[in-house]
Amino acid sequence: MTAALWTAYEAAAATGGALCARGGDPDRWIAEEWAARGLSIDSRTLKPGDMFVALKDARDGHDFVAAAFEKGAAAALVARAPEDAPDGKPLLVVRDTLEGLRDLARAARLRNFGKRVAVTGSAGKTSAKEMLRVALGAAGRAHAAEKSFNNHWGVPLTLAQLPMNADYGVFEIGMNHAGEITPLTRLVRPHAAIVTTVGPAHLEFFGSVEKIAEAKAEIFLGLAPGGVAIIPADNEHCALLRRRAEKAGAARIVSFGARDGADLRLLDYAEESDGARIEAQVFGEDVAFRLGAPGRHQAMNALAVLAAVRAVGAPLVPAMEALARFAPSEGRGARREIALSGGRRITLIDESYNANPASMAAALALLGAAKPRGRGRRIAVLGEMLELGPDAPKLHAQLADALAAAKVDRLYAAGALMRHLWEAAPAAMRGRWSEKADDVLAALRADLADGDVVMVKGSNASKISLVARALESEEARPKAANE
Ligand SMILES: Nc1ncnc2c1ncn2[C@@H]1O[C@H](COP(=O)(O)OP(=O)(O)OP(=O)(O)O)[C@@H](O)[C@H]1O
Ligand SMILES: [Mg+2]
């Protein structure tokens, strides 16, 4: 049994909320202490013993308090007692539940004596977060969210779950608009803050990539005294990030990249089937290690991670060794060999989780580095990159250079915006364009040949991930029939 994360009285003291329950005899049960082992904002995934936090988002969490108790919630953090809250079940009533969650987060931070790392960037946040989990986990107890919880409720939720005795806390911080990172980083107060990269993501809300860099640099505003800013040396906005870090009072600024003068410098990168060998100079010392994910962009994320490891005083060698065990999460570069009908064996590079120009270029480079077997080809299956504003058509068309650089043999593309890339691509490369991912899948299926390497990528909403899912299930089908 896991130790209590929040006892009734600690949670009440942190939030200033009232401990109560519907019905029953309040005098009697208030004396009965409860303790929560974790926190949950979703009654569907709540684990017995969790405290349910009734947030208002797309739906009002107060409508699910009863369901949460049915799933075994230890208590519920609410702004009012819902009509259907079961009698006698412990409630912690606060004025505003999101504010209450932030209060818990602040209290969790104050009672923990570990070090905290925060990560933002236009791509690579979750990858870096997962690398930090394994790298710091080699030195002590590391806490990080299971998912990409990086927004106005995700960050406080992750911090409010920081165990008292954790040695390290890792926090992914995202944003769609200027000003969103500031309150989150001030809540976390990181000892090390990473900007992985800056590129055109959510461009429609910003107007220029420079403004995006400004917004990412907000992460430095929350640095704890003595905190270290970690910035991408090769990025065109590196100088801006450095200036912002200085202005924010960073005690040290550490850069990572391939260029001369980077504090952590990539010297050599050799791709292997399920990872890469990396040689780097880390603060003047030559090191070599294996990373459990291919892609030069992942190697860069790893260097940023090692900078943070050093910044929080964790040992480097076990961290480097642990990075061999890092595995890309679903849709972020995971590879699979798939046996299709007709004896065709293909490799699927699943990048379908999301896309913007920075991550699209990285994924195409990954495809370029892959070596198809025999007469196999490099096939890019691309869905639209969304939220790019008026420049969207141009940003799509511009990928033609990355397609050529990656020696892509065939392009399959879905969605109106991808039409711009389709038209910019050489005729010999064109496999199929369609408004819909389904049509693209049908054409692709017929075309696939033994040895092909297929990389699938697009924004979440482009639905291009269905191509990856369909190819995976293709293999599963004959097996299921035999069983
Ligand atoms: N440093 C990087 N530079 C460019 N692209 C990257 C980098 N790291 C990862 N990527 C690409 O971005 C994709 C998403 O990676 P990841 O989930 O780590 O990013 P994220 O910043 O957490 O995204 P989100 O904003 O959706 O939470 C990966 O599949 C990969 O293609
Ligand atoms: Mg993420």
Side-chain angles (χ1 to χ4, degrees), residues 123-127 148 172 297 301 332 351 353-354 359 362 457:
K125 297 180 291 294
T126 299
S127 302
S148 205
E172 173 175 344
H297 57 294
N301 293 338
R332 294 176 181 85
E351 280 277 350
Y353 157 73
N354 213 346
S359 67
K457 190 162 189 72

Side-chain angles (χ1 to χ4, degrees), residues 3-270:
L5 179 69
W6 289 106
T7 66
Y9 297 106
E10 282 167 340
T15 58
L19 293 166
C20 58
R22 281 195 83 86
D25 173 1
D27 290 339
R28 194 182 64 78
W29 84 263
I30 273 183
E32 279 172 35
E33 248 191 84
W34 53 261
R37 274 181 278 172
L39 296 180
S40 169
I41 60 157
D42 187 337
S43 58
R44 290 165 302 183
T45 51
L46 180 137
K47 292 195 208 64
D50 282 351
M51 165 158 48
F52 177 67
V53 181
L55 290 182
K56 274 192 193 142
D57 207 50
R59 306 210 30 200
D60 185 351
H62 291 85
D63 295 340
F64 302 95
V65 168
F69 280 118
E70 256 163 54
K71 290 284 281 285
L77 182 69
V78 294
R80 59 184 168 79
E83 293 283 313
D84 62 348
D87 275 2
K89 289 290 186 190
L91 303 173
L92 175 56
V93 184
V94 293
R95 211 162 48 83
D96 177 279
T97 47
L98 181 57
E99 195 49 54
L101 183 62
R102 281 195 289 258
D103 287 335
L104 289 176
R106 223 170 275 118
R109 185 190 78 214
L110 290 169
R111 69 185 187 179
N112 169 279
F113 291 95
K115 298 280 197 216
R116 297 174 299 278
V117 181
V119 186
T120 193
S122 300
K125 297 180 291 294
T126 299
S127 302
K129 175 201 73 170
E130 288 304 320
M131 286 183 200
L132 282 162
R133 187 206 299 278
V134 295
L136 294 170
R141 183 164 180 201
H143 166 77
E146 289 309 318
K147 297 213 178 114
S148 205
F149 282 164
N150 65 22
N151 64 4
H152 63 285
W153 57 258
V155 175
L157 179 66
T158 306
L159 182 55
Q161 287 173 301
L162 180 71
M164 214 179 315
N165 61 353
D167 300 298
Y168 306 103
V170 180
F171 303 90
E172 173 175 344
I173 303 187
M175 57 117 195
N176 298 324
H177 300 91
E180 286 176 354
I181 287 182
T182 302
L184 300 176
T185 183
R186 289 198 164 131
L187 188 65
V188 169
R189 306 233 76 209
H191 299 93
I194 300 174
V195 175
T196 54
T197 186
V198 175
H202 310 297
L203 193 56
E204 68 177 342
F205 306 124
F206 286 92
S208 76
V209 181
E210 190 168 335
K211 291 210 181 98
I212 294 177
E214 295 275 6
K216 299 286 178 202
E218 289 174 29
I219 196 166
F220 305 132
L221 296 174
L223 276 173
V228 179
I230 299 167
I231 58 175
D234 305 333
N235 193 272
E236 61 172 314
H237 300 287
C238 183
L240 185 154
L241 293 172
R242 183 178 290 277
R243 285 198 301 278
R244 291 292 170 269
E246 278 165 5
K247 205 164 150 213
R252 235 161 10 104
I253 300 171
V254 171
S255 65
F256 64 92
R259 74 169 48 186
D260 250 352
D263 298 303
L264 291 95
R265 192 171 155 226
L266 186 68
L267 297 177
D268 196 42
Y269 164 81

Side-chain angles (χ1 to χ4, degrees), residues 138-476:
R141 183 164 180 201
H143 166 77
E146 289 309 318
K147 297 213 178 114
S148 205
F149 282 164
N150 65 22
N151 64 4
H152 63 285
W153 57 258
V155 175
L157 179 66
T158 306
L159 182 55
Q161 287 173 301
L162 180 71
M164 214 179 315
N165 61 353
D167 300 298
Y168 306 103
V170 180
F171 303 90
E172 173 175 344
I173 303 187
M175 57 117 195
N176 298 324
H177 300 91
E180 286 176 354
I181 287 182
T182 302
L184 300 176
T185 183
R186 289 198 164 131
L187 188 65
V188 169
R189 306 233 76 209
H191 299 93
I194 300 174
V195 175
T196 54
T197 186
V198 175
H202 310 297
L203 193 56
E204 68 177 342
F205 306 124
F206 286 92
S208 76
V209 181
E210 190 168 335
K211 291 210 181 98
I212 294 177
E214 295 275 6
K216 299 286 178 202
E218 289 174 29
I219 196 166
F220 305 132
L221 296 174
L223 276 173
V228 179
I230 299 167
I231 58 175
D234 305 333
N235 193 272
E236 61 172 314
H237 300 287
C238 183
L240 185 154
L241 293 172
R242 183 178 290 277
R243 285 198 301 278
R244 291 292 170 269
E246 278 165 5
K247 205 164 150 213
R252 235 161 10 104
I253 300 171
V254 171
S255 65
F256 64 92
R259 74 169 48 186
D260 250 352
D263 298 303
L264 291 95
R265 192 171 155 226
L266 186 68
L267 297 177
D268 196 42
Y269 164 81
E271 198 147 319
E272 297 172 346
S273 64
D274 56 349
R277 269 217 77 75
I278 294 166
E279 285 175 29
Q281 205 165 56
V282 175
F283 301 104
E285 206 178 308
D286 285 349
V287 302
F289 62 96
R290 223 189 85 77
L291 179 66
R296 209 166 171 279
H297 57 294
Q298 295 291 19
M300 289 300 176
N301 293 338
L303 291 186
V305 161
L306 292 179
V309 165
R310 169 64 75 87
V312 298
L316 269 183
V317 172
M320 281 189 293
E321 283 169 7
L323 284 175
R325 294 195 298 274
F326 165 79
S329 355
E330 165 125 349
R332 294 176 181 85
R335 283 180 195 213
R336 261 191 81 168
E337 294 289 318
I338 298 176
L340 300 174
S341 59
R344 298 171 297 166
R345 212 152 48 76
I346 64 153
T347 304
L348 172 67
I349 304 178
D350 184 4
E351 280 277 350
S352 64
Y353 157 73
N354 213 346
N356 60 46
S359 67
M360 192 61 106
L364 286 169
L366 198 62
L367 177 59
K371 297 196 178 53
R373 240 180 337 101
R375 296 165 59 90
R377 302 157 300 168
R378 294 189 183 86
I379 301 181
V381 182
L382 308 183
E384 295 178 307
M385 304 179 289
L386 301 171
E387 295 187 346
L388 291 176
D391 283 341
K394 196 174 86 199
L395 289 165
H396 281 75
Q398 277 172 355
L399 287 174
D401 293 341
L403 286 176
K407 303 175 289 298
V408 169
D409 298 297
R410 282 322 253 157
L411 170 66
Y412 285 81
L417 282 169
M418 267 298 162
R419 180 95 207 173
H420 298 277
L421 175 58
W422 178 257
E423 276 158 11
M429 200 190 275
R430 295 185 196 160
R432 171 72 170 257
W433 171 87
S434 171
E435 197 73 55
K436 290 209 147 111
D438 294 299
D439 299 338
V440 169
L441 170 64
L444 172 72
R445 239 190 210 133
D447 180 30
L448 282 174
D450 190 41
D452 286 348
V453 180
V454 181
M455 191 280 288
V456 182
K457 190 162 189 72
S459 279
N460 271 330
S462 79
K463 300 270 193 302
I464 202 71
S465 58
L466 73 83
V467 173
R469 298 290 84 74
L471 291 178
E472 280 173 355
S473 68
E474 204 104 327
E475 172 175 67

